[in-house]
Amino acid sequence: MRLGVLDVGSNTVHLLVMDAHPGARPLPAHSHKAELRLAELLDADGSIGDRGIERLVTITHDAVRTAEDKGCEELLPFATSAIRDAANADAVLKRVRDETGVDLQVLSGPEEARLTFLAARRWYGWSSGKLLLLDIGGGSLEIAYGIDEEPDAAVSLPLGAGRLTAGWLPGDPPDLADVRALRRHVRAEIARTVGEFARFGKPHHVVATSKTFKQLARLAGAPGSGEGLYVQRGLSRTSLEEWVPKLSVMTAEQRCALPGVSEGRARQLLAGALVAEGAMDLFGVEELEVCPWALREGVILRRLDHLPAA
């Protein structure tokens, strides 16, 4: 069957159309992204402003039309931290539902972590053993750990690259005092969760998802997206520690010139790097592997798991 996943994130609204069947690997058929950057469109009280809502409605309407054009039998729409943390979340969801017919399902932070973990587990299989997953989005950081498909621990922290950039790094290039303050904040937040995971023992395999990790791995010399899904891409803490000081003194325009860095993500790359560095350091990770599958694939896999047997 052909399924569409509509992911309303902090940075983008992403429609992923996949041909999926129980027991088979989901195959991407179409992908469309539209920049939204809701984390940067919040009012002073934490509400999503009219401009952000209107853009969300327009993009959602266009995504529904595209899903229909591509022959999707079912659309799985969901939203993550940008909407679940907004002060006017209920009003935003109602307006989207009233004007587009789409009932966005808001995932909790732990749900987001669990579904992303499921995707990583299915990608790497049982032979990967105890798996530690890190995912940096625009609004939050998800961490999950386990040996089965359901993680033993899953948390979500308000450490997304877009959220932190908007709240902590106003300058371009950023003030180095602001960078240090953000670094302290990030590490204090992550340190509170380390004990919850440490009791399960050392992971056999550490993996990361999200555009932020893909870009950081690319900076460290990993192959570009043009090389395909099946090329191994890794990131070492040593490489990351070399890049953070460089990113700290660059403007967004200068970061755009780096390999693999898009214009829309350039400004928030430093915040994402600080989160990645802090997580790898505090969890004792020397190297990790970038997983091609993430939350959207996890949503599809969970839906396939609930289909009745033929």
Side-chain angles (χ1 to χ4, degrees):
M1 64 188 302
R2 177 159 285 193
L3 296 173
V5 177
L6 182 61
D7 175 3
V8 178
S10 299
N11 289 312
T12 60
V13 176
H14 188 172
L15 172 68
L16 179 63
V17 177
M18 300 191 83
D19 291 321
H21 306 277
R25 175 171 56 93
L27 296 173
H30 179 75
S31 176
H32 176 73
K33 297 179 185 178
E35 278 199 3
L36 186 59
R37 290 193 272 193
L38 282 177
E40 299 176 17
L41 297 173
L42 297 178
D43 292 339
D45 64 352
S47 298
I48 298 174
D50 287 340
R51 185 163 63 96
I53 298 174
E54 289 169 5
R55 179 148 173 76
L56 173 58
V57 167
T58 299
I59 292 172
T60 301
H61 185 273
D62 291 344
V64 170
R65 182 70 176 271
T66 300
E68 291 174 354
D69 290 345
K70 296 300 178 182
C72 289
E73 298 177 47
E74 186 177 348
L75 183 66
L76 307 173
F78 67 89
T80 53
S81 63
I83 288 183
R84 72 170 173 254
D85 296 337
N88 61 336
D90 290 342
V92 173
L93 294 170
K94 182 179 186 303
R95 185 162 168 192
V96 171
R97 185 169 55 249
D98 290 346
E99 297 191 27
T100 70
V102 173
D103 188 10
L104 286 173
Q105 300 301 302
V106 180
L107 300 180
S108 70
E111 276 183 297
E112 191 176 340
R114 286 194 292 268
L115 287 166
T116 307
F117 184 88
L118 170 64
R121 170 59 73 197
R122 293 277 178 93
W123 181 268
Y124 290 108
W126 301 113
S127 63
S128 57
K130 295 178 182 178
L131 202 64
L132 174 64
L133 169 88
L134 303 173
D135 179 277
I136 302 171
S140 59
L141 163 70
E142 275 68 50
I143 308 169
Y145 176 100
I147 197 167
D148 297 317
E149 291 195 340
E150 182 68 22
D152 296 309
V155 301
S156 178
L157 303 175
L159 297 177
R163 180 198 298 265
L164 295 178
T165 301
W168 291 79
L169 301 176
D172 185 28
D175 187 287
L176 292 182
D178 291 338
V179 175
R180 287 193 294 272
L182 176 56
R183 184 179 186 275
R184 289 193 298 270
H185 170 70
V186 164
R187 287 172 176 254
E189 287 287 318
I190 295 173
R192 295 191 186 105
T193 72
V194 172
E196 183 176 343
F197 292 85
R199 62 193 177 95
F200 294 109
K202 188 176 179 63
H204 298 122
H205 196 187
V206 182
V207 300
T209 62
S210 75
K211 188 70 171 179
T212 294
F213 273 113
K214 289 177 182 176
Q215 289 183 334
L216 293 172
R218 183 77 177 90
L219 289 182
S225 59
E227 298 296 318
L229 287 179
Y230 301 103
V231 175
Q232 186 172 359
R233 295 171 174 88
L235 175 64
S236 71
R237 178 148 53 103
T238 300
S239 295
L240 191 53
E241 289 172 345
E242 291 174 356
W243 269 103
V244 168
K246 298 176 186 177
L247 294 172
S248 298
V249 296
M250 288 183 178
T251 64
E253 184 178 358
Q254 289 170 327
R255 291 178 203 147
C256 278
L258 297 173
V261 179
S262 64
E263 182 179 355
R265 303 270 183 163
R267 188 165 179 268
Q268 59 185 248
L269 184 59
L270 172 60
L274 289 169
V275 174
E277 180 191 38
M280 292 181 74
D281 188 9
L282 291 165
F283 279 92
V285 176
E286 295 300 328
E287 290 200 37
L288 57 76
E289 187 172 353
V290 178
C291 179
W293 279 4
L295 178 58
R296 287 178 289 275
E297 288 80 8
V299 169
I300 284 182
L301 292 167
R302 180 63 78 225
R303 176 69 184 93
L304 292 176
D305 287 347
H306 287 87
L307 286 177

